[in-house]
Amino acid sequence: MKMRHYVWASVMLLSACATPSERFADAADTLGFEELTVRTDRFAHRIYSHINAVKNTDRKTLHVYLDGDGTPWQQRWIAGDPTSRSPIILKLMVQDSEPSILLGRPCYHGFSGTEPCHNKFWTSHRYSKPVVESMAAALQQWLETTDFNEIVLVGYSGGGTLAMLIAPYIDKIKAIVTVAANLDIKAWSEFHGYLPLSDSLNPAVGPELPPMIRQFHLAGGKDDNVPPFIIEAFAKTHSRAQAIIYRDFDHQCCWAEAWPSILGKIQAGNVAFNAGDSR
Protein backbone atom coordinates (compact mmCIF):
# COMPACT_ATOMS: atom_id res chain seq x y z
CA MET A 1 0.00 0.00 0.00
CA LYS A 2 2.90 2.39 0.73
CA MET A 3 4.23 1.82 -2.76
CA ARG A 4 0.86 2.73 -4.28
CA HIS A 5 0.83 5.96 -2.28
CA TYR A 6 4.35 6.72 -3.50
CA VAL A 7 3.38 6.09 -7.13
CA TRP A 8 0.32 8.29 -6.84
CA ALA A 9 2.35 11.07 -5.23
CA SER A 10 4.73 10.88 -8.18
CA VAL A 11 1.79 11.21 -10.57
CA MET A 12 0.78 14.46 -8.88
CA LEU A 13 4.15 16.01 -9.82
CA LEU A 14 3.30 15.92 -13.53
CA SER A 15 3.60 19.20 -15.43
CA ALA A 16 0.85 21.71 -14.77
CA CYS A 17 1.14 22.77 -18.41
CA ALA A 18 -0.26 19.46 -19.68
CA THR A 19 -3.92 19.16 -20.66
CA PRO A 20 -6.30 17.16 -18.45
CA SER A 21 -6.24 14.35 -21.04
CA GLU A 22 -2.45 14.29 -21.05
CA ARG A 23 -2.26 14.27 -17.27
CA PHE A 24 -4.80 11.44 -17.11
CA ALA A 25 -2.84 9.41 -19.68
CA ASP A 26 0.44 10.04 -17.84
CA ALA A 27 -1.16 8.97 -14.56
CA ALA A 28 -2.52 5.78 -16.13
CA ASP A 29 0.89 5.00 -17.63
CA THR A 30 2.66 5.60 -14.33
CA LEU A 31 0.25 3.22 -12.62
CA GLY A 32 1.01 0.53 -15.18
CA PHE A 33 -2.06 0.69 -17.42
CA GLU A 34 -1.92 0.02 -21.14
CA GLU A 35 -3.67 2.44 -23.52
CA LEU A 36 -5.44 1.76 -26.80
CA THR A 37 -8.09 3.40 -28.97
CA VAL A 38 -11.31 1.78 -30.19
CA ARG A 39 -13.38 3.51 -32.85
CA THR A 40 -17.08 2.92 -33.42
CA ASP A 41 -19.14 4.24 -36.33
CA ARG A 42 -19.57 7.50 -34.41
CA PHE A 43 -16.93 8.14 -31.75
CA ALA A 44 -13.41 7.20 -30.71
CA HIS A 45 -12.90 5.78 -27.22
CA ARG A 46 -9.77 5.47 -25.13
CA ILE A 47 -9.45 2.20 -23.23
CA TYR A 48 -6.98 1.67 -20.41
CA SER A 49 -6.31 -1.90 -19.34
CA HIS A 50 -4.79 -3.28 -16.18
CA ILE A 51 -1.93 -5.02 -17.99
CA ASN A 52 -1.03 -7.84 -15.61
CA ALA A 53 -4.63 -8.61 -14.70
CA VAL A 54 -6.01 -8.65 -18.25
CA LYS A 55 -3.23 -10.95 -19.39
CA ASN A 56 -4.02 -13.43 -16.62
CA THR A 57 -5.89 -15.99 -18.70
CA ASP A 58 -6.99 -17.95 -15.62
CA ARG A 59 -9.51 -15.25 -14.76
CA LYS A 60 -12.84 -15.29 -16.62
CA THR A 61 -14.56 -12.28 -15.04
CA LEU A 62 -13.79 -8.81 -16.38
CA HIS A 63 -14.33 -5.61 -14.40
CA VAL A 64 -15.20 -2.67 -16.68
CA TYR A 65 -14.65 0.71 -15.02
CA LEU A 66 -16.52 3.84 -16.17
CA ASP A 67 -15.34 7.28 -15.08
CA GLY A 68 -17.43 10.19 -13.89
CA ASP A 69 -18.37 13.38 -15.73
CA GLY A 70 -14.98 14.93 -15.05
CA THR A 71 -15.13 18.71 -15.50
CA PRO A 72 -17.91 19.60 -17.95
CA TRP A 73 -17.88 23.21 -16.75
CA GLN A 74 -15.21 25.56 -15.47
CA GLN A 75 -17.13 28.10 -13.42
CA ARG A 76 -19.63 29.57 -15.93
CA TRP A 77 -17.85 28.36 -19.05
CA ILE A 78 -18.01 25.00 -20.80
CA ALA A 79 -14.68 23.21 -20.45
CA GLY A 80 -12.67 22.57 -23.58
CA ASP A 81 -11.51 19.20 -22.22
CA PRO A 82 -13.89 17.48 -19.78
CA THR A 83 -11.48 14.67 -18.78
CA SER A 84 -11.23 14.11 -15.03
CA ARG A 85 -8.73 16.37 -13.27
CA SER A 86 -8.66 14.11 -10.20
CA PRO A 87 -9.10 10.59 -11.54
CA ILE A 88 -10.41 8.64 -8.56
CA ILE A 89 -11.32 5.90 -11.04
CA LEU A 90 -7.61 5.11 -11.53
CA LYS A 91 -7.11 4.82 -7.78
CA LEU A 92 -9.93 2.28 -7.67
CA MET A 93 -8.81 0.22 -10.66
CA VAL A 94 -5.16 -0.03 -9.61
CA GLN A 95 -6.29 -1.85 -6.46
CA ASP A 96 -8.36 -4.41 -8.39
CA SER A 97 -6.65 -7.80 -8.76
CA GLU A 98 -9.27 -8.96 -11.26
CA PRO A 99 -8.85 -8.39 -15.02
CA SER A 100 -10.04 -4.83 -15.56
CA ILE A 101 -10.31 -2.08 -18.15
CA LEU A 102 -11.38 1.55 -18.09
CA LEU A 103 -13.79 2.32 -20.93
CA GLY A 104 -13.42 5.96 -21.92
CA ARG A 105 -16.36 8.21 -22.74
CA PRO A 106 -16.87 9.85 -26.14
CA CYS A 107 -14.99 13.15 -26.53
CA TYR A 108 -12.93 12.58 -23.38
CA HIS A 109 -9.22 11.62 -23.22
CA GLY A 110 -7.99 13.86 -26.01
CA PHE A 111 -10.90 13.57 -28.44
CA SER A 112 -12.87 16.69 -27.46
CA GLY A 113 -11.65 18.61 -30.51
CA THR A 114 -12.30 15.85 -33.04
CA GLU A 115 -15.34 15.17 -35.22
CA PRO A 116 -18.16 14.60 -34.42
CA CYS A 117 -17.49 15.76 -30.86
CA HIS A 118 -19.37 18.77 -29.55
CA ASN A 119 -19.48 20.12 -26.01
CA LYS A 120 -23.11 18.98 -25.71
CA PHE A 121 -21.76 15.44 -25.33
CA TRP A 122 -20.23 16.33 -21.97
CA THR A 123 -22.96 18.75 -20.85
CA SER A 124 -26.65 18.37 -21.76
CA HIS A 125 -26.21 15.18 -23.85
CA ARG A 126 -23.70 13.48 -21.56
CA TYR A 127 -25.95 10.42 -21.08
CA SER A 128 -27.65 10.56 -24.48
CA LYS A 129 -28.43 7.56 -26.68
CA PRO A 130 -25.49 8.21 -29.09
CA VAL A 131 -23.10 8.26 -26.13
CA VAL A 132 -24.54 5.10 -24.57
CA GLU A 133 -24.69 3.15 -27.82
CA SER A 134 -21.15 4.11 -28.84
CA MET A 135 -19.75 3.08 -25.46
CA ALA A 136 -21.57 -0.24 -25.64
CA ALA A 137 -20.29 -0.80 -29.18
CA ALA A 138 -16.71 0.00 -28.17
CA LEU A 139 -16.89 -2.45 -25.30
CA GLN A 140 -18.38 -5.17 -27.50
CA GLN A 141 -15.63 -4.58 -30.04
CA TRP A 142 -12.93 -4.95 -27.37
CA LEU A 143 -14.59 -8.07 -25.93
CA GLU A 144 -14.51 -9.83 -29.32
CA THR A 145 -10.80 -10.44 -28.83
CA THR A 146 -11.25 -12.03 -25.38
CA ASP A 147 -13.02 -15.00 -23.81
CA PHE A 148 -14.37 -13.53 -20.58
CA ASN A 149 -17.48 -15.33 -19.30
CA GLU A 150 -18.81 -12.63 -16.99
CA ILE A 151 -18.77 -8.83 -16.90
CA VAL A 152 -19.01 -6.56 -13.87
CA LEU A 153 -19.64 -2.88 -14.62
CA VAL A 154 -18.11 -0.48 -12.09
CA GLY A 155 -19.14 3.16 -12.45
CA TYR A 156 -18.06 6.16 -10.41
CA SER A 157 -20.40 9.19 -10.27
CA GLY A 158 -21.67 9.80 -13.83
CA GLY A 159 -19.94 6.58 -14.83
CA GLY A 160 -22.47 4.76 -12.65
CA THR A 161 -25.26 6.45 -14.59
CA LEU A 162 -23.73 5.16 -17.81
CA ALA A 163 -23.20 1.68 -16.35
CA MET A 164 -26.95 1.35 -15.79
CA LEU A 165 -27.68 2.63 -19.31
CA ILE A 166 -25.07 0.46 -21.04
CA ALA A 167 -25.99 -2.78 -19.26
CA PRO A 168 -28.95 -3.72 -21.54
CA TYR A 169 -26.61 -3.71 -24.55
CA ILE A 170 -23.97 -6.06 -23.09
CA ASP A 171 -24.24 -9.82 -22.70
CA LYS A 172 -22.76 -11.68 -19.75
CA ILE A 173 -23.36 -8.88 -17.24
CA LYS A 174 -23.04 -10.45 -13.79
CA ALA A 175 -23.26 -7.36 -11.60
CA ILE A 176 -23.25 -3.57 -11.59
CA VAL A 177 -21.44 -1.59 -8.91
CA THR A 178 -22.01 2.15 -8.79
CA VAL A 179 -20.21 4.60 -6.51
CA ALA A 180 -21.81 7.98 -5.73
CA ALA A 181 -23.78 7.66 -8.97
CA ASN A 182 -26.44 9.95 -10.36
CA LEU A 183 -29.15 7.31 -10.81
CA ASP A 184 -31.99 9.80 -11.29
CA ILE A 185 -30.85 12.72 -13.43
CA LYS A 186 -34.20 14.53 -13.05
CA ALA A 187 -34.10 14.42 -9.25
CA TRP A 188 -30.42 15.40 -9.30
CA SER A 189 -31.00 18.43 -11.57
CA GLU A 190 -33.94 19.58 -9.45
CA PHE A 191 -31.92 19.17 -6.22
CA HIS A 192 -29.18 21.46 -7.54
CA GLY A 193 -31.48 23.85 -9.39
CA TYR A 194 -29.86 23.00 -12.72
CA LEU A 195 -31.52 23.03 -16.11
CA PRO A 196 -32.64 19.54 -17.20
CA LEU A 197 -30.06 17.42 -19.06
CA SER A 198 -31.89 17.55 -22.37
CA ASP A 199 -31.62 14.43 -24.54
CA SER A 200 -29.90 12.52 -21.74
CA LEU A 201 -31.37 9.18 -20.72
CA ASN A 202 -32.45 8.64 -17.12
CA PRO A 203 -31.75 5.27 -15.44
CA ALA A 204 -34.57 5.92 -12.98
CA VAL A 205 -37.20 5.62 -15.70
CA GLY A 206 -35.40 3.12 -17.92
CA PRO A 207 -36.34 -0.52 -18.43
CA GLU A 208 -35.83 -2.94 -15.56
CA LEU A 209 -32.67 -5.00 -15.88
CA PRO A 210 -32.86 -8.81 -15.81
CA PRO A 211 -33.16 -10.13 -12.24
CA MET A 212 -29.94 -12.16 -12.54
CA ILE A 213 -27.91 -8.93 -12.63
CA ARG A 214 -26.99 -7.93 -9.09
CA GLN A 215 -26.84 -4.21 -8.36
CA PHE A 216 -24.76 -2.63 -5.61
CA HIS A 217 -25.29 1.14 -5.38
CA LEU A 218 -22.86 2.79 -2.95
CA ALA A 219 -23.57 6.25 -1.57
CA GLY A 220 -21.78 8.65 0.74
CA GLY A 221 -23.83 9.87 3.67
CA LYS A 222 -22.11 13.28 3.42
CA ASP A 223 -22.25 13.53 -0.37
CA ASP A 224 -23.67 16.94 -1.35
CA ASN A 225 -23.19 16.30 -5.08
CA VAL A 226 -25.24 13.11 -5.36
CA PRO A 227 -27.06 12.96 -2.01
CA PRO A 228 -27.86 9.47 -0.74
CA PHE A 229 -31.63 9.95 -0.96
CA ILE A 230 -31.36 9.79 -4.77
CA ILE A 231 -29.62 6.42 -4.63
CA GLU A 232 -31.92 5.06 -1.90
CA ALA A 233 -35.03 6.07 -3.85
CA PHE A 234 -33.69 4.33 -6.96
CA ALA A 235 -33.00 1.11 -5.08
CA LYS A 236 -36.49 1.02 -3.59
CA THR A 237 -38.10 0.96 -7.03
CA HIS A 238 -35.75 -1.49 -8.78
CA SER A 239 -35.50 -5.20 -8.03
CA ARG A 240 -32.07 -6.62 -7.13
CA ALA A 241 -30.86 -3.06 -6.51
CA GLN A 242 -29.25 -2.55 -3.12
CA ALA A 243 -28.33 0.86 -1.71
CA ILE A 244 -25.34 0.78 0.64
CA ILE A 245 -24.69 3.98 2.58
CA TYR A 246 -21.24 4.82 3.93
CA ARG A 247 -22.25 7.47 6.41
CA ASP A 248 -18.91 9.27 6.76
CA PHE A 249 -18.07 9.35 3.03
CA ASP A 250 -18.75 12.18 0.62
CA HIS A 251 -18.51 12.33 -3.17
CA GLN A 252 -14.73 11.78 -3.22
CA CYS A 253 -13.74 10.62 0.24
CA CYS A 254 -13.06 7.86 1.07
CA TRP A 255 -13.83 5.44 -1.75
CA ALA A 256 -10.25 4.68 -2.75
CA GLU A 257 -9.27 3.80 0.81
CA ALA A 258 -12.27 1.48 1.24
CA TRP A 259 -12.09 -0.07 -2.21
CA PRO A 260 -10.16 -3.26 -1.32
CA SER A 261 -12.75 -4.10 1.33
CA ILE A 262 -15.65 -3.30 -0.99
CA LEU A 263 -14.19 -5.42 -3.79
CA GLY A 264 -13.63 -8.30 -1.40
CA LYS A 265 -17.29 -8.43 -0.44
CA ILE A 266 -18.47 -8.23 -4.05
CA GLN A 267 -16.04 -10.88 -5.26
CA ALA A 268 -17.08 -13.16 -2.40
CA GLY A 269 -20.66 -12.97 -3.65
CA ASN A 270 -21.82 -11.16 -0.52
CA VAL A 271 -25.12 -9.85 -1.93
CA ALA A 272 -26.29 -8.46 1.40
CA PHE A 273 -23.63 -6.24 2.93
CA ASN A 274 -23.77 -6.32 6.72
CA ALA A 275 -25.35 -3.29 8.34
CA GLY A 276 -22.05 -2.62 10.06
CA ASP A 277 -20.41 -2.08 6.67
CA SER A 278 -22.43 1.09 6.07
CA ARG A 279 -20.49 3.65 8.01
Side-chain angles (χ1 to χ4, degrees), residues 59 175 256:
R59 305 292 183 90

Side-chain angles (χ1 to χ4, degrees), residues 66-69 105 127 155-163 179-182 226 251:
L66 307 171
D67 200 4
D69 297 341
R105 297 164 65 151
Y127 314 128
Y156 170 71
S157 192
T161 313
L162 288 167
V179 179
N182 180 4
V226 182
H251 199 65

Side-chain angles (χ1 to χ4, degrees), residues 83-144:
T83 306
S84 294
R85 271 68 169 167
S86 178
I88 291 174
I89 200 76
L90 293 179
K91 296 182 183 181
L92 302 184
M93 196 167 82
V94 75
Q95 300 183 81
D96 195 337
S97 60
E98 291 294 313
S100 53
I101 65 171
L102 169 60
L103 173 62
R105 297 164 65 151
C107 308
Y108 285 60
H109 305 291
F111 296 118
S112 59
T114 64
E115 293 292 339
C117 283
H118 185 279
N119 57 37
K120 68 182 181 182
F121 290 118
W122 59 88
T123 54
S124 59
H125 293 50
R126 68 186 74 176
Y127 314 128
S128 62
K129 189 174 182 179
V131 168
V132 171
E133 290 186 343
S134 188
M135 292 188 74
L139 178 55
Q140 290 283 25
Q141 186 176 328
W142 188 91
L143 288 171
E144 288 175 0

